[in-house]
Amino acid sequence: MSRRVQVVVLCEDLQSATLLRQYLYLRGFPRRSVRVEALPASSGCGSQGVRERYAEAVHANRTRHVAEALVVHIDADNHSVDERHTELAKVLAAAGQAPRANEEAIAIVVPRWETETWLHHFLGRNSVLESHRGYPKFAQQHDAATPTAKALLDCVRNITSPPANLPSFATAVAELARLP
């Protein structure tokens, strides 16, 4: 008998929530099984909000009676992808929790600078570089996220390969492959 899977998304902003929600729906998770945690208030640093809630989200993921997956989004901003992963590992350690194990359904998605870097690439700006910061935001989050969500799914399913100019995207693909 299969277990019901609930997917919790912890992220910085509406654009990232939209992208991850679309990816999970395309992946086959029913809408009712995907829950996006309340987004941080518009003031303050989104990455700080994710760091502050990460240990609690991991604890909930590990203790729920329902099989649960956790997808965490945090922009790299002026850090590297590895530095963001290290920060989150330190958050768990500071909370007295065990490190994230390889078999745990906890995916950490870290776009280099921000999600818009990926969105612009998959909307046809193939010259996008992760070293460049400040790609414009989108008014229509859903429309902007759709090509990137499809690209994530195709890469996770090994239909296509991640683009060479987006190494953080390749890391995210490996992370999302951890989900059931």
Side-chain angles (χ1 to χ4, degrees):
M1 175 153 71
S2 65
R3 293 169 50 178
R4 189 183 78 182
V5 176
Q6 166 98 21
V7 182
V8 174
V9 178
L10 174 62
C11 60
E12 287 192 22
D13 56 31
L14 181 58
Q15 185 66 77
S16 301
T18 301
L19 170 63
L20 292 171
R21 191 181 287 126
Q22 281 188 22
Y23 166 76
L24 292 166
Y25 297 160
L26 287 172
R27 176 95 183 256
F29 289 99
R31 291 182 184 272
R32 68 185 173 279
S33 72
V34 176
R35 185 180 83 237
V36 175
E37 290 292 312
L39 298 169
S42 58
S43 63
C45 177
S47 61
Q48 179 181 344
V50 170
R51 287 189 304 273
E52 289 172 352
R53 298 180 298 160
Y54 179 64
E56 182 180 329
V58 169
H59 177 73
N61 176 276
R62 290 173 171 169
T63 58
R64 295 249 163 90
H65 69 282
V66 172
E68 189 159 318
L70 175 63
V71 180
V72 178
H73 162 272
I74 186 168
D75 289 330
D77 296 325
N78 59 339
H79 300 276
S80 72
V81 173
D82 288 339
E83 287 172 334
R84 287 298 196 198
H85 278 261
T86 299
E87 283 178 351
L88 293 176
K90 288 178 180 178
V91 166
L92 285 184
Q97 293 190 46
R100 181 175 68 129
N102 290 334
E103 68 277 357
E104 286 186 287
I106 301 172
I108 300 173
V109 175
V110 186
R112 181 65 172 107
W113 285 102
E114 55 197 7
T115 304
E116 284 75 15
T117 305
W118 295 353
L119 302 182
H120 280 278
H121 173 86
F122 290 104
L123 285 169
R125 287 184 65 187
N126 295 333
S127 62
V128 166
L129 297 173
E130 289 191 343
S131 59
H132 177 75
R133 118 181 241 195
Y135 289 102
K137 304 282 186 196
F138 293 95
Q140 300 296 323
Q141 283 94 2
H142 185 275
D143 295 340
T146 300
T148 305
K150 289 177 182 175
L152 278 169
L153 182 64
D154 286 349
C155 289
V156 168
R157 290 182 172 166
N158 292 314
I159 295 169
T160 60
S161 297
N165 60 320
L166 300 176
S168 68
F169 189 84
T171 302
V173 167
E175 286 288 324
L176 290 168
R178 298 170 64 109
L179 301 181

